[in-house]
Amino acid sequence: MTKENEMLEPEKSTEKTEWQKRHEEFVARKATKKIEEDKLLTEKKAESLEEEKELSGEEISSEPFEKETQEEPLNEEDATEELEIESELEDIPNEEPEAGLSEITEVKNSSDKNSIDDKLLKQQLKADKKAKRLEQRLQTRPLRLAKVKVASITFVALITIIISGFILSPYSKKKIFNVTGLEHVDRNAILISTGIQKSDYISTVFFKKKSTEQAILAANPWVKQATISYRFPNVFDVTIIENRIIAYAQTESGYQPVLENGVRMPVISESQLPEHFLTVNLTDEKAVQSLVVQLAKLDEKLVANIQVVNPVTDAATKDLILLEVKDGHRIRVPLSQIDVKLPFYVKIAGTLTSPSIIDMEVGIFTTNETIEATMAQEKVEREEAKKKAEEEAKKSEKSAEDGDNSEEGTLENPEETTSQEALSSE
């Protein structure tokens, strides 16, 4: 009994029942066993800590083990343990059920003490179970660590063996290339420009993708963009984007496709020409390249509407060109300003009802052939009148010079004139 129970309960000189005696003996045995187990557990903990320290080279704190022994919420295992403890307590027989009412009264009076002892006993049994589980984990932990280390070493070794075997096998050099996006370029030409040999490893090609793409661009003027991607185990996809043909330069030997990067390709036959195309009649190579590069920046529909590009030789602007479009209009625009001024054509063409000339040389205005012819006639007449005026001015200057010369001759030879007069009088 505790001190509190001694104060509350009246002193009794009755002897303890057999059940109480056996219960006290049971509790004493459990306490002794607990002390021995705690001592053994402490020794095993110290041994396991030393083993783990040797394996990992690090100090392991014993706090986690102490925390595990603290009270935790009841789970299924704890509930089962509680039932086992209760069954153990119930299995203790009460050998004297026929004891008198006084003994029963004494048992009831000591029920509080027994209930407290039962709770302590249950907690002790739970602690014993947890200590056993902890001991088992501590015993198996070095083995688990060793298994993990062996498994990791084995995995790395297997990977190394597989990679080494693959590199030594002929499959490490067997490559498959899929080339897509080709229209004007030959597939073999693309593969040759890569510089990849049959003896090259797959890994070599994989790590040199960027340099291979640059090599394709440098070797093929048709190629605008080249992209290489890898697919396991040995497939390389080469995606090509070609430069567009902006125009065809007309030469004596035929038509040359001019790409959007300004490069002229070899001459092709008329049968290879498309149904609608842009013809460039400029002779200056730099002018053609500048024209194509600027047209490549404009809307494709606007460029497709242009049919012919001709130079304008009799203009004050040196780089003035004349564009003939499918709508029947003609556009005069400086080559250096074509990417700035030509987009305005779309708005201007919507207001025109008949074929016109759109002049973008200085500002932007529209005219037609009649006005152009009239202006040309007026220009010719102005030039003829200017020539006549210049000729008359020259004649008048010449006659004035002749008169001045005759007067000077008369003043310089007066004797000759008098002799001539005398002869005429005789």
Side-chain angles (χ1 to χ4, degrees), residues 298-316:
L298 300 177
D299 184 35
E300 293 186 13
K301 293 182 179 179
L302 176 60
V303 176
N305 194 30
I306 304 172
Q307 289 182 316
V308 184
V309 178
N310 294 314
V312 179
T313 56
D314 58 345

Side-chain angles (χ1 to χ4, degrees), residues 386-418:
K386 185 178 180 180
K387 288 181 180 180
K388 288 180 179 180
E390 290 176 353
E391 291 176 356
E392 290 177 356
K394 288 180 180 180
K395 288 179 180 180
S396 60
E397 288 177 359
K398 188 176 181 181
S399 61
E401 290 177 357
D402 293 340
D404 293 339
N405 291 333
S406 62
E407 289 178 358
E408 289 176 358
T410 303
L411 293 172
E412 291 175 357
N413 301 314
E415 295 179 355
E416 293 180 359
T417 55
T418 54

Side-chain angles (χ1 to χ4, degrees), residues 257-296:
V258 184
L259 307 181
E260 60 180 296
N261 57 0
V263 178
R264 286 195 186 196
M265 302 308 295
V267 177
I268 62 173
S269 61
E270 293 187 4
S271 60
Q272 294 177 294
L273 291 171
E275 185 178 356
H276 302 287
F277 60 93
L278 170 59
T279 304
V280 179
N281 294 324
L282 303 179
T283 56
D284 188 3
E285 184 72 22
K286 291 184 179 179
V288 173
Q289 188 173 3
S290 176
L291 171 67
V292 172
V293 170
Q294 292 187 74
L295 290 178

Side-chain angles (χ1 to χ4, degrees), residues 184-393:
H184 300 92
V185 188
D186 184 43
R187 180 180 181 275
N188 293 329
I190 295 294
L191 295 179
I192 292 171
S193 64
T194 60
I196 298 172
Q197 304 295 329
K198 290 184 178 180
S199 59
D200 291 338
Y201 290 102
I202 294 173
S203 58
T204 304
V205 179
F206 177 81
F207 289 111
K208 290 186 177 180
K209 289 192 296 181
K210 293 297 180 184
S211 59
T212 305
E213 293 170 356
Q214 295 297 326
I216 295 173
L217 289 174
N220 298 276
W222 278 103
V223 179
K224 181 179 181 180
Q225 183 179 350
T227 305
I228 300 176
S229 58
Y230 170 74
R231 283 191 292 125
F232 185 83
N234 61 343
V235 180
F236 292 91
D237 296 318
V238 183
T239 305
I240 301 296
I241 299 177
E242 295 183 350
N243 286 303
R244 292 184 296 124
I245 299 176
I246 301 298
Y248 291 84
Q250 189 172 7
T251 62
E252 294 179 357
S253 56
Y255 289 89
Q256 285 183 298
V258 184
L259 307 181
E260 60 180 296
N261 57 0
V263 178
R264 286 195 186 196
M265 302 308 295
V267 177
I268 62 173
S269 61
E270 293 187 4
S271 60
Q272 294 177 294
L273 291 171
E275 185 178 356
H276 302 287
F277 60 93
L278 170 59
T279 304
V280 179
N281 294 324
L282 303 179
T283 56
D284 188 3
E285 184 72 22
K286 291 184 179 179
V288 173
Q289 188 173 3
S290 176
L291 171 67
V292 172
V293 170
Q294 292 187 74
L295 290 178
K297 300 177 184 177
L298 300 177
D299 184 35
E300 293 186 13
K301 293 182 179 179
L302 176 60
V303 176
N305 194 30
I306 304 172
Q307 289 182 316
V308 184
V309 178
N310 294 314
V312 179
T313 56
D314 58 345
T317 305
K318 293 182 180 180
D319 62 343
L320 191 67
I321 57 176
L322 180 66
L323 310 179
E324 297 180 8
V325 297
K326 296 177 182 179
D327 301 335
H329 306 301
R330 289 184 292 175
I331 307 168
R332 283 197 294 260
V333 59
L335 178 59
S336 58
Q337 301 177 8
I338 191 170
D339 59 336
V340 178
K341 291 187 174 182
L342 195 59
F344 291 101
Y345 167 75
V346 179
K347 295 181 179 180
I348 296 171
T351 62
L352 301 177
T353 57
S354 60
S356 304
I357 299 173
I358 302 170
D359 196 327
M360 297 182 178
E361 182 178 4
V362 180
I364 299 175
F365 62 91
T366 58
T367 181
N368 54 42
E369 293 183 357
T370 304
I371 297 173
E372 290 281 326
T374 304
M375 292 176 66
Q377 183 64 30
E378 290 178 354
K379 185 178 181 180
V380 171
E381 291 177 355
R382 285 197 301 271
E383 290 178 354
E384 290 179 354
K386 185 178 180 180
K387 288 181 180 180
K388 288 180 179 180
E390 290 176 353
E391 291 176 356
E392 290 177 356

